[in-house]
Amino acid sequence: MKTALFILAAAIPALAVDFDQDIRPLLQRHCVECHGEKKQKGELRLDAKVFAFKGGHEGKAIVAGDAAHSLLLQRIASADDDERMPPKGEPLSETQIALVRAWIAAGAVWPENAADKAAAVDKRLQHWAVQPVRRVEGASIDSLIAAKLAEKNLTMSPEADRRTLIRRLSFDLTGLPPAPERVERFAKDADPKAYEKLVDELLRSPHYGERWARHWLDIAHYADTHGFERDQLRPNAWRYRDYVIAALNADKPYDQFIREQISGDVIAANDPQAVIATGFLAAGPWDYVGQVETKSDMLKRAARAGDLDDMVTQVITSTMGITINCARCHDHKLDPIKQEEYYRLWAVFAGVKRGDREVDSAEAKHIAGEKARLTEELAATRAEIAKLAGDGLDLADMVGAGVKGRGIDLRTGNLTTGKLGYHRDIQTNRLQRIEWPAEVKDTERLVSWVFVPDGRNPVPVAAKQEVKGLPATNGHTWDVIRNGALNAQRSTKIGGVDYAEKDHSILGLHANSGITFDLEKIRQSSGLGAMHLTAALGFGADAGAAASRADFTVYVDAERSFQRLKMRKDEFTHLDIAVPATAKTLTLIATDGGDGISSDLLFLGDARLVPQVEHSRLSAAEQERLTHLRAKVVKLDASLKALPEQAKVYAVVSEPKPAVIQVQRRGNAEDLQQEVQPGAFAWAPHASSDFGTNATPEGERRRKLAEWITQRDNPLTRRVLVNRLWHHHFGQGLVTTPSDFGLGGDKPSHPELLDWLADEFLCGGWSLKHLHKLIVMSSAYRQQSVVKNDGASRVDAQNRLLWRQNPRRLDAESMHDAVLSTAGTLNPAMGGPGYRDFNFTEAYAPIYDYITPDKPDLLRRSIYRFVVRTTPHQFMATLDCPDPANLTPARAQTTTALQALTLSNNEFMLQQAQSLATRIENETESRAAGIRRAFQLCFQREPKADELNAATHLVSEQGLFALCRMLLNANEFVYVD
């Protein structure tokens, strides 16, 4: 038998193997099911020549002339059941295997037939979304919709009444309900242009930008915290949010709007608003642990990979509607986008990091220069004071009893050089005596007590001595009080001076800790009388913790001599506190600022007790000089404090030398393949997708990408944008997948209308307001939303042909804002840092505990809410407010019992229902007038007769509050129309 097979195998190569007769049928019968047009396991396709010789993710399947290195032969001839192909059914016969071997060895000649040639033409390149935008002459929104309806023998519905129209317009364009008086005026306005004037009025409103910024921030997945495990604050992110609002209100051309957000710091480096615009690239979540804290290089590479993926996905998906992230692990399964092209986009952002940066570089340089000048002058002045008055006594040296790095354990009073961590089980307000080692002489034992204050009660600082006026603390603490830097301290500089250097000292007091020095003993050992406590006060925390707070208080005996509350981690000050000759104790206390102890690495630089002038041996001239210098210190310190804070924004931080990007096999950051150059995908052929080389400066790469996206011939950018606007005006887009215009997305219901709008958008100078007006002025937009038409419902139940307007429910933000507006409690203040409707506790994983807003600062529009990623606002989340960790092109809309319970019983809703009742009582003089006013405010109409009777009965039995609560929960309030 073996002899026969050997003879057969030897004989076949001598014969001419006919591909079409011997090989093609074999591939079709045994291989194409798993490796054909519909399915490509291992990214291998064997139904056409162009793909077969390309191979799959494991390499070349067919190596012409080299059967031994052809994976196809290896797999079909394998004796291993797990490797052999085909995996199901009978394996290929020895004869069939021998035919394949002979064919490959002979050069793998594959004559192309019609099917091969057809397969070589990628039909995906003809996809409608990447074709040039076509001008539809003589058309309009209504004519194009009417033409589609006519194909199904349908027509548009009648126009909605004026009350419905003004309510619809107001919510669509401003996100707020119209005032009853404005509704009444519009309803009675006989001017044929009354509707158009109303549209213009609403588009001019500053509330327009607030409303439409919310839609853009959804696809930018903006929030005010990082997300992930350590969901830390981004106190400067809000400037990007305000940029979006201002840009929309100013009707900034959309192409400029996009260019600034991708490369504003490059194209207009001296324009603060253009710099702020790049907050778009940093708006998404950021893994602080993976990017900063982890010691694992592998985890850092993985975190960085996720960061780059987020940036690329956000930019391409939001502007061009392409699911580019699908190509991270392999060539896109649906769209003709190669994995290499995806990583070329990574290369565009390879030099981009997220972080706080100065908004105005010129102003920042000026402020920094002034700060450096004043700090240098202050240091020189303090040095001269020290030289005249004597260096004084070093408090840090007293704490460590002469040993650098040694400190006092607050739990035991023992001296230790160990780096201790977090303590939460220490009894507060308990004086702990110092356990001095035997080698410390009695004259060097100058610290009396240490303690952890709670601030809620009088705090003992010495025997029979208590102090008041401390802020409340959580009673937790960190490390010891140390002669030197604290455990985990990141910086030893205050005001540009490094106090870890020679001839300087550091006294570290992490919150919450207190220490009392024995002044009587200090005077006995030094011979000094009246003294001054001088020091620099600052923090050694990471720059990312700048927004957190801590306090520092100094007591001389029981008198509070200095207190600085809620001091930011990027702030500092200088102390110069008089210590009378009669004082017995000096107490220093660091507390947590009310937000937990994380990063409260407070320390004193060069903390010294220096003699008063009158107790030194100075000449009259020297004493006068010393007095002058101390006055100068006060003046310089005041000048330092008066310097304005450098405006910062959480945005793009550019690195001068971007990393070289390599393709990651299967998206694995540890399995790197070929290097790539910065660029994009060629599927959109409107312009070159090459953006330079790896030597091209970082900013230039982003500029070229921005220009490629906004190039006037790019058909995707304009189509995607006009579809997004249509989606928000009609509840669904002409393409129902607003962020997927690829082959996996929906086809446009009205392709001609989509292109007409895209072309009109360009002709209108990329004006969003122009496009809004075109849409809302159309008869299609003004149709009734609730209309009985059984025939149309049968033909087009989903209303894709737009034979009526779509009834829409208020989204979470509009619901929140509408309640405040109706109740008369809405604070109209615009811009600035987001309001924090939560109690914040700084910890390793910060704690956000939401509260019921009860003051004007917390009753602003929801666009100004401080958005937390990992702790969603319960009220907003219940009403389908999206997760800011994800891009949200179209919000989910659910109807649940929990929503009804929330709107009926949430403390916010009850509070606002009461405010509405109070408003109505203040604005009306009778029960009947109050009931009518309630309907006007909530529904923008008068009550019907039966409603008036029912409401009168309810108010007489349960009061006006019950009616207000009911109206705020009615469908007519919750739905736009």
Side-chain angles (χ1 to χ4, degrees):
M1 181 63 179
K2 289 183 179 180
T3 302
L5 286 174
F6 175 79
I7 294 171
L8 179 62
I12 287 174
L15 301 174
V17 179
D18 187 298
F19 175 80
D20 285 318
Q21 181 177 333
D22 301 320
I23 305 301
R24 192 190 295 273
L26 186 151
L27 295 175
Q28 291 289 337
R29 189 163 54 250
H30 297 284
C31 303
V32 168
E33 181 181 353
C34 296
H35 302 285
E37 181 179 6
K38 295 182 179 180
K39 185 190 298 185
Q40 300 95 39
K41 286 190 175 182
E43 300 178 27
L44 175 63
R45 185 171 170 182
L46 294 171
D47 64 320
K49 180 178 181 179
V50 65
F51 302 114
F53 284 94
K54 178 182 176 183
H57 70 72
E58 291 187 4
K60 295 283 188 180
I62 302 167
V63 182
D66 189 350
H69 289 92
S70 295
L71 292 175
L72 173 63
L73 184 64
Q74 293 175 18
R75 299 300 291 272
I76 65 176
S78 175
D80 186 336
D81 290 341
D82 292 331
E83 288 188 359
R84 187 180 62 242
M85 291 294 162
K88 298 178 182 178
E90 290 294 322
L92 269 63
S93 68
E94 292 291 343
T95 301
Q96 291 170 319
I97 294 171
L99 282 168
V100 173
R101 180 184 291 109
W103 172 66
I104 295 174
V109 176
W110 184 318
E112 282 190 322
N113 62 11
D116 288 312
K117 293 177 181 178
V121 177
D122 193 341
K123 295 178 182 178
R124 299 177 300 173
L125 299 177
Q126 301 167 3
H127 183 57
W128 66 268
V130 296
Q131 304 310 308
V133 172
R134 292 170 296 171
R135 175 71 177 174
V136 184
E137 297 293 344
S140 67
I141 291 174
D142 292 328
S143 68
L144 292 169
I145 289 177
K148 278 286 184 181
L149 288 169
E151 292 175 8
K152 300 293 183 180
N153 295 318
L154 299 175
T155 58
M156 290 189 201
S157 298
E159 182 169 302
D161 62 83
R162 285 202 164 187
R163 175 203 153 273
T164 298
L165 288 176
I166 188 172
R167 181 176 167 89
R168 182 187 296 170
L169 272 176
S170 293
F171 275 115
D172 275 4
L173 295 180
T174 71
L176 293 171
E181 296 75 17
R182 185 67 183 92
V183 174
E184 186 70 15
R185 193 164 75 249
F186 175 62
K188 295 179 179 179
D189 194 341
D191 186 343
K193 291 191 175 182
Y195 181 82
E196 183 177 3
K197 289 179 179 179
L198 175 63
V199 171
D200 291 337
E201 174 189 322
L202 293 173
L203 286 173
R204 286 193 304 269
S205 168
H207 299 311
Y208 160 78
E210 293 175 321
R211 174 56 182 157
W212 282 85
R214 180 67 268 161
H215 297 317
W216 182 258
L217 295 180
D218 274 2
I219 55 176
H221 59 337
Y222 168 89
D224 296 283
T225 63
H226 288 331
F228 290 98
E229 180 181 0
R230 295 198 64 185
D231 194 14
Q232 295 179 323
L233 303 169
R234 288 181 180 173
N236 297 311
W238 61 270
R239 285 191 169 88
Y240 168 68
R241 174 251 291 153
D242 279 4
Y243 160 83
V244 175
I245 294 172
L248 294 175
N249 274 333
D251 200 21
K252 181 171 288 188
Y254 181 70
D255 59 337
Q256 181 183 348
F257 180 63
I258 295 301
R259 285 196 300 271
E260 288 181 349
Q261 291 181 86
I262 297 173
S263 60
D265 59 327
V266 180
I267 60 178
N270 296 320
D271 180 356
Q273 287 303 306
V275 172
I276 290 171
T278 63
F280 171 69
L281 297 178
W286 185 70
D287 185 359
Y288 179 82
V289 174
Q291 298 270 9
V292 177
E293 285 195 334
T294 184
K295 296 180 180 179
S296 167
D297 290 337
M298 183 175 74
L299 291 178
K300 284 187 176 181
R301 287 190 290 269
R304 177 58 174 160
D307 201 33
L308 287 169
D309 176 73
D310 182 81
M311 288 185 195
V312 167
T313 299
Q314 175 168 310
V315 170
I316 299 302
T317 302
S318 63
T319 60
M320 295 178 65
I322 297 299
T323 55
I324 190 70
N325 55 314
C326 292
R328 180 176 179 179
C329 301
H330 45 67
D331 288 352
H332 202 296
K333 292 295 185 182
L334 298 174
D335 300 335
I337 299 174
K338 299 176 182 177
Q339 186 185 20
E340 181 179 346
E341 292 176 321
Y342 166 83
Y343 283 99
R344 294 187 71 194
L345 283 163
W346 267 31
V348 172
F349 298 103
V352 171
K353 297 290 183 69
R354 309 171 196 246
D356 288 318
R357 63 173 291 171
E358 286 83 11
V359 168
D360 187 331
S361 58
E363 180 190 22
K365 186 177 180 180
H366 171 71
I367 293 173
E370 276 296 287
K371 182 175 287 188
R373 183 186 67 79
L374 290 169
T375 300
E376 184 179 349
E377 189 174 354
L378 183 60
T381 305
R382 290 174 64 85
E384 188 175 351
I385 289 174
K387 186 175 180 181
L388 280 171
D391 288 338
L393 307 174
D394 193 322
L395 298 188
D397 195 52
M398 297 179 195
V399 168
V403 177
K404 285 275 190 181
R406 188 158 67 174
I408 304 171
D409 190 329
L410 287 99
R411 300 170 299 178
T412 63
N414 292 330
L415 270 66
T416 177
T417 56
K419 298 285 189 180
L420 305 186
Y422 185 72
H423 311 307
R424 61 182 302 166
D425 55 356
I426 304 177
Q427 182 181 340
T428 58
N429 296 348
R430 179 182 67 85
L431 291 173
Q432 174 62 54
R433 190 178 297 279
I434 314 306
E435 301 295 331
W436 297 104
E439 72 270 14
V440 179
K441 299 175 184 179
D442 183 65
T443 56
E444 297 173 345
R445 299 180 179 186
L446 305 177
V447 178
S448 302
W449 311 97
V450 291
F451 54 91
V452 176
D454 75 354
R456 296 175 176 82
N457 305 289
V459 177
V461 299
K464 298 181 181 180
Q465 183 177 319
E466 295 180 336
V467 299
K468 298 179 180 179
L470 282 173
T473 79
N474 63 10
H476 304 169
T477 191
W478 176 272
D479 202 17
V480 300
I481 298 177
R482 190 180 299 281
N483 174 13
L486 292 159
N487 182 19
Q489 187 164 328
R490 300 295 181 89
S491 171
T492 56
K493 292 183 178 181
I494 298 175
V497 178
D498 190 346
Y499 290 93
E501 292 182 347
K502 187 179 178 182
D503 299 327
H504 292 288
S505 68
I506 290 174
L507 172 56
L509 294 97
H510 199 293
N512 296 294
S513 61
I515 182 170
T516 299
F517 295 89
D518 188 336
L519 290 175
E520 290 182 312
K521 207 166 190 179
I522 289 172
R523 279 192 290 270
Q524 289 171 9
S525 63
S526 67
L528 296 177
M531 296 173 281
H532 271 255
L533 168 63
T534 63
L537 171 66
F539 293 92
D542 183 86
S548 57
R549 305 288 197 270
D551 320 305
F552 184 72
T553 309
V554 178
Y555 289 92
V556 177
D557 290 335
E559 182 180 347
R560 189 172 64 200
S561 300
F562 174 87
Q563 187 170 64
R564 181 74 179 271
L565 298 179
K566 298 188 182 302
M567 186 174 172
R568 285 170 54 102
K569 300 303 183 337
D570 56 359
E571 295 176 334
F572 68 90
T573 191
H574 291 88
L575 307 181
D576 193 341
I577 300 169
V579 180
T582 56
K584 296 180 180 180
T585 61
L586 173 66
T587 303
L588 313 179
I589 303 175
T591 47
D592 58 33
D595 57 7
I597 68 167
S598 179
S599 300
D600 287 354
L601 296 148
L602 190 144
F603 74 98
L604 296 175
D606 290 347
R608 293 189 173 116
L609 287 169
V610 298
Q612 283 273 30
V613 175
E614 60 268 30
H615 291 281
S616 62
R617 299 175 181 178
L618 300 179
S619 66
E622 289 171 328
Q623 290 185 22
E624 185 179 350
R625 176 64 177 165
L626 190 56
T627 300
H628 169 74
L629 290 172
R630 282 186 168 147
K632 185 177 180 181
V633 164
V634 173
K635 185 177 180 181
L636 288 170
D637 194 40
S639 297
L640 267 174
K641 292 175 182 176
L643 283 176
E645 186 176 339
Q646 296 177 17
K648 293 184 177 181
V649 61
Y650 190 82
V652 162
V653 178
S654 181
E655 293 189 317
K657 188 176 181 181
V660 173
I661 297 298
Q662 295 173 260
V663 172
Q664 296 179 359
R665 186 170 180 267
R666 291 187 170 272
N668 181 0
E670 302 306 305
D671 192 350
L672 302 179
Q673 305 295 304
Q674 73 272 20
E675 289 185 5
V676 296
Q677 308 290 326
F681 52 89
W683 187 29
H686 61 280
S688 172
S689 57
D690 294 327
F691 301 155
T693 69
N694 285 328
T696 301
E698 182 279 317
E700 184 68 9
R701 303 179 191 190
R702 286 188 284 121
R703 185 186 65 80
K704 288 186 175 182
L705 172 62
E707 291 175 350
W708 181 77
I709 290 173
T710 58
Q711 212 270 351
R712 60 181 291 120
D713 292 330
N714 184 343
L716 283 165
T717 301
R718 285 186 283 139
R719 283 183 176 131
V720 167
L721 188 280
V722 300
N723 187 68
R724 291 196 192 282
L725 265 61
W726 193 273
H727 167 86
H728 292 301
H729 282 303
F730 284 86
Q732 63 179 348
L734 298 171
V735 178
T736 60
T737 52
S739 280
D740 188 358
F741 271 46
L743 278 80
D746 187 23
K747 294 180 180 179
S749 58
H750 300 73
E752 296 85 1
L753 174 57
L754 185 66
D755 275 14
W756 184 85
L757 288 167
D759 185 69
E760 192 64 36
F761 187 32
L762 185 63
C763 293
W766 298 83
S767 167
L768 292 173
K769 288 188 177 183
H770 171 67
L771 207 58
H772 281 298
K773 186 171 181 179
L774 282 175
I775 293 172
V776 300
M777 288 295 295
S778 69
S779 297
Y781 175 82
R782 288 186 277 178
Q783 293 178 96
Q784 295 177 11
S785 62
V786 180
V787 59
K788 185 174 176 60
N789 188 331
D790 294 337
S793 296
R794 284 192 298 270
V795 173
D796 183 24
Q798 300 301 315
N799 193 30
R800 295 291 287 123
L801 298 178
L802 296 167
W803 52 272
R804 60 172 170 81
Q805 177 60 275
N806 292 303
R808 287 166 287 144
R809 199 179 70 195
L810 296 178
D811 59 28
E813 289 86 351
S814 293
M815 183 67 189
H816 170 275
D817 297 352
V819 169
L820 292 178
S821 178
T822 303
T825 56
L826 179 64
N827 179 349
M830 295 181 66
Y835 64 85
R836 302 186 184 187
D837 51 355
F838 52 79
N839 291 320
F840 174 74
T841 302
E842 187 179 332
Y844 180 80
I847 300 169
Y848 301 91
D849 185 17
Y850 287 100
I851 60 175
T852 301
D854 57 358
K855 51 187 178 181
D857 286 350
L858 303 182
L859 299 176
R860 300 172 66 199
R861 291 200 67 174
S862 52
I863 188 72
Y864 301 115
R865 183 170 64 89
F866 193 99
V867 180
V868 181
R869 289 191 201 277
T870 59
T871 310
H873 191 289
Q874 293 178 342
F875 177 81
M876 304 295 281
T878 302
L879 300 180
D880 298 323
C881 188
D883 181 353
N886 304 313
L887 284 72
T888 307
R891 293 193 176 195
Q893 190 175 97
T894 63
T895 302
T896 67
L898 186 59
Q899 291 168 350
L901 290 169
T902 296
L903 292 176
S904 296
N905 302 309
N906 181 271
E907 186 62 31
F908 167 75
M909 292 297 295
L910 296 176
Q911 183 186 81
Q912 296 308 313
Q914 183 59 60
S915 295
L916 175 57
T918 301
R919 174 186 181 180
I920 292 170
E921 289 170 349
N922 292 335
E923 293 179 359
T924 58
E925 297 180 354
S926 67
R927 177 184 295 172
I931 292 172
R932 287 196 299 273
R933 184 61 173 165
F935 274 82
Q936 290 167 355
L937 288 169
C938 293
F939 299 159
Q940 289 76 50
R941 65 172 176 81
E942 291 284 334
K944 300 173 184 176
D946 57 340
E947 292 172 332
L948 182 60
N949 290 335
T952 302
H953 180 70
L954 176 64
V955 172
S956 64
E957 286 195 343
Q958 300 183 36
L960 187 57
F961 164 78
L963 175 63
C964 293
R965 182 185 182 193
M966 182 196 73
L967 294 180
L968 292 177
N969 279 271
N971 275 349
E972 192 169 349
F973 184 86
V974 174
Y975 278 79
V976 175
D977 59 65

